[in-house]
Amino acid sequence: MRQNLPNVKLRAIEPEDLDILYRIENDMSLWNDSVTSVPYSRYILYDYIANTKNDIYTDRQVRMMIENEKQEVVGIVDLINFEPKHLRAEIGIVIKHDYRNQGFAQAAIGKIKEYSLGILHLHQLYAYVDKDNQQSTKLFERCGFICQNELKDWLFDGKKYHNALMMQLFL
């Protein structure tokens, strides 16, 4: 387990985050790890920011910006596909390129785990990770997630299918 993780703060998304959200959502290198397949316009993203209630029970998701000690946004963490009956949600995280490999993802997952258990009272978090993405697999393992299943041909990159690992954390 990595020691000396950076201090991070999770906060609600604000209109001032539009440019950051636009760059992350339209980064095609991230699309193979998500369900995104088309670029988002600034208008669509602004509308999302303006109309999200930031209430997981209403929106079935919550998106939080990850800030470092200098109050710079270093990434985004999402809880999506929230199932209130089963008290589970899927987690997704993106760290901006300049801040990768510095412990921000692990620190942010630690914070979202605390929030998920202490505030939302979730029973579990899960993530789908491309089996070939060893960096993400190791990150989730360091955060206590375990691989429960391998899903054959789960992700398609436009040319070939990739297996995904379903990783779970029981809180």
Side-chain angles (χ1 to χ4, degrees):
M1 182 173 214
R2 182 182 175 140
Q3 301 299 318
N4 302 321
L5 294 174
N7 289 324
V8 297
K9 175 182 155 190
L10 303 183
R11 65 162 176 82
I13 194 166
E14 298 286 350
E16 295 79 23
D17 297 318
L18 178 62
D19 289 337
I20 294 166
L21 187 61
Y22 181 80
R23 282 192 299 277
I24 288 173
E25 291 291 351
N26 290 302
D27 182 346
M28 291 176 66
S29 70
L30 302 172
W31 288 6
N32 290 338
D33 295 321
S34 70
V35 295
T36 302
S37 60
V38 295
Y40 286 96
S41 70
R42 288 184 190 281
Y43 174 79
I44 293 293
L45 293 172
Y46 178 81
D47 187 60
Y48 166 78
I49 293 170
N51 291 306
T52 187
K53 304 295 184 235
N54 217 31
D55 175 1
I56 198 165
Y57 286 92
T58 301
D59 299 331
R60 294 291 195 253
Q61 66 178 16
V62 65
R63 169 168 279 180
M64 295 188 197
M65 307 306 283
I66 306 164
E67 286 186 346
N68 65 13
E69 289 181 320
K70 298 177 185 175
Q71 295 183 321
E72 300 165 323
V73 173
V74 299
I76 300 174
V77 63
D78 298 310
L79 294 178
I80 61 172
N81 298 323
F82 171 60
E83 290 289 340
K85 179 179 179 182
H86 304 294
L87 295 173
R88 68 176 176 238
E90 181 179 351
I91 183 174
I93 188 165
V94 174
I95 301 297
K96 291 167 58 177
H97 292 285
D98 293 347
Y99 297 97
R100 291 186 181 169
N101 301 311
Q102 298 175 41
F104 288 110
Q106 188 174 344
I109 291 173
K111 292 282 186 182
I112 202 74
K113 283 168 42 177
E114 291 172 12
Y115 173 77
S116 297
L117 180 61
I119 303 298
L120 300 177
H121 309 291
L122 295 184
H123 173 63
Q124 67 177 290
L125 296 175
Y126 65 94
Y128 296 106
V129 179
D130 185 328
K131 184 179 180 184
D132 297 329
N133 188 339
Q134 292 180 359
Q135 189 172 11
S136 289
T137 302
K138 288 178 183 177
L139 165 68
F140 281 104
E141 287 173 346
R142 280 193 308 272
C143 293
F145 286 72
I146 55 173
C147 179
Q148 293 290 8
N149 204 353
E150 183 173 336
L151 303 165
K152 303 291 184 194
D153 292 347
W154 195 255
L155 303 169
F156 185 64
D157 68 9
K159 295 179 183 171
K160 68 176 192 169
Y161 286 94
H162 298 260
N163 293 352
L165 302 177
M166 192 229 196
M167 305 195 71
Q168 283 180 293
L169 173 71
F170 294 96
L171 301 170

